[in-house]
């Protein structure tokens, strides 16, 4: 029972095979992956652009075009608006160290919300509108328009710990943090991913690099370059999947700079990716992202791909 309109985000619960899906049809839905059943859901007053779980599988948060940041309790089946941005909410993430949800908006602010009091606990101005945000350990990483990347320590949200320019030349599409907390992967609309490190010492910065992906070459040697919409890290091995507007998913070993297998093809653009908590399943949202405007396209679907060790295990270089 996939959404009836474009899928915007997908995330597995911290310790369960429950998948949260948000979509442009204003809905946030919880699906049980093992039984393939939609268990429950709720709606916004407009397209939902992002969603995330709370501390466990009983609560979630979402934000979208209606500008609301919403908290939903699945056990009590209650919905609360924690607050509102001045423009659509593009990203939400639960920050464990803060015990709060973080939201980023096209109004050029990042805000944190106290779910007990249903009020804004911090409001941080940003240089431009938010396209993506991610959390890991004590950090929040925000990617905005004009290729700004801002890294915040949750203990001091008034100013960024670091402010960078994306090392990719084109618009940022997605940021996801390494499972070990050492850095983040950033994807762009121009078929590239960069691997970045938080630590500013020379040894850490020497490890950063970028690579091309999600491209196709015709018989004349002309490249078609596709946006890389989605990134998802394997929770155990730290390898990661990328998904692009070419409708393909590719597994990578970032540490050893290797592609792990030939691309897997799906019917439409890859809008979102999510590994299950054990990494045994990769959820793939095949959902047209309107990169070519209005046109006939395959129906939106979520595919569940069982992952073998061989497909996700790093491959160290032979000495």
């Amino acid at each position: 029972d996939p959404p009836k309109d474009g899928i915007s985000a997908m995330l597995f619960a911290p310790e369960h095979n429950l998948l949260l899906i948000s979509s442009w049809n204003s809905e946030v839905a919880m699906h049980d992956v093992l039984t393939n059943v939609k268990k429950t859901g709720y709606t916004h007053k407009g397209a939902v652009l992002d969603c995330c779980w709370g501390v466990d599988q009983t609560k979630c948060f979402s934000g979208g075009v209606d500008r609301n940041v919403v908290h939903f309790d699945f056990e009590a089946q209650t919905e609360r608006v924690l607050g509102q941005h001045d423009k659509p909410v593009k990203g939400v993430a639960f920050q464990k160290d803060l015990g709060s949800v973080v939201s980023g908006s096209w109004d050029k602010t990042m805000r944190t919300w106290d779910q007990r009091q249903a009020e804004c606990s911090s409001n941080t101005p940003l240089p431009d509108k938010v396209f993506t945000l991610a959390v890991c350990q004590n950090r929040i990483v925000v990617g905005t328009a004009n290729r700004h990347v801002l890294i915040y320590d949750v203990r001091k949200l008034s100013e960024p710990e670091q402010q960078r320019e994306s090392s990719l030349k084109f618009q940022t599409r997605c940021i996801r943090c390494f499972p070990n907390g050492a850095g983040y992967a950033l994807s762009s609309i121009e078929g590239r991913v960069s691997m970045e490190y938080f630590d500013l010492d020379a040894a850490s910065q020497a490890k950063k690099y970028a690579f091309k992906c999600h491209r196709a070459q015709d018989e004349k040697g002309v490249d078609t370059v596709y946006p890389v919409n989605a990134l998802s890290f394997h929770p155990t091995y730290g390898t990661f999947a990328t998904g692009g507007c070419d409708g393909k998913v590719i597994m990578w070993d970032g540490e050893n700079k290797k592609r792990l297998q030939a691309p897997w093809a799906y019917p439409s653009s890859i809008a979102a990716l999510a590994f299950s908590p054990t990494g045994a399943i990769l959820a793939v949202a095949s959902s047209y992202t309107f990169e070519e405007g209005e046109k006939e396209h395959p129906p939106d679907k979520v595919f569940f791909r069982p992952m073998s060790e061989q497909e996700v295990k790093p491959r160290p270089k032979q000495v």
Side-chain angles (χ1 to χ4, degrees), residues 283-297:
V284 179
S286 171
S287 177
Y288 180 52
T289 53
F290 289 83
E291 62 276 6
E292 295 175 13
E294 276 292 350
K295 68 171 192 177
E296 282 295 311
H297 56 85

Side-chain angles (χ1 to χ4, degrees), residues 246-250 261-268 270 284 286 303 305:
D246 55 352
K248 290 178 179 168
V249 175
I250 309 172
Q261 93 305 312
W264 300 310
Y266 292 89
S268 192
I270 307 304
V284 179
S286 171
F303 295 87
R305 184 178 183 90

Side-chain angles (χ1 to χ4, degrees), residues 151 162 164 178 180 182-184 195-200 203-209 254-255:
I151 300 162
Q162 297 175 39
R164 303 179 178 184
F178 302 167
N180 66 7
Y184 59 90
M195 307 297 283
E196 307 283 348
Y197 292 82
F198 293 128
D199 204 322
L200 293 173
S204 296
Q205 290 305 305
K207 292 193 287 186
K208 72 177 188 178
Y209 68 95
E255 188 77 22

Side-chain angles (χ1 to χ4, degrees), residues 10 41 50 97 103-104 125 214 218 254 262 266:
M10 237 177 13
D50 203 8
D97 284 14
S103 61
H214 298 280
D218 66 16
Y266 292 89

